[in-house]
Amino acid sequence: MIIAIQLLVLLLIVLSTVLVVGVPVVLASPGQWEQSKGLIYTGAGLWTGLVIVTSLVNSLVV
């Protein structure tokens, strides 16, 4: 179970890094917001879901 938490946290860190780099690049590029809006919203939703799942799995271990 601890390995599952570690993998979830690793995924959370990787996704957070991708979003921290990707969102400002998309917002700074002219015309890219309209093309990438769905991808940004999907990434944000995935990040939120990953935070909730990680917290639920962590509460089962402790």
Side-chain angles (χ1 to χ4, degrees), residues 13-62:
I13 291 170
V14 169
L15 184 59
S16 296
T17 304
V18 168
L19 287 173
V20 162
V21 172
V23 171
V25 169
V26 168
L27 291 176
S29 302
Q32 289 296 317
W33 172 247
E34 291 81 15
Q35 295 174 356
S36 303
K37 187 179 1 179
L39 187 61
I40 298 293
Y41 287 147
T42 302
L46 227 136
W47 185 87
T48 303
L50 197 55
V51 167
I52 292 169
V53 168
T54 303
S55 65
L56 289 174
V57 171
N58 191 32
S59 69
L60 295 175
V61 171
V62 175

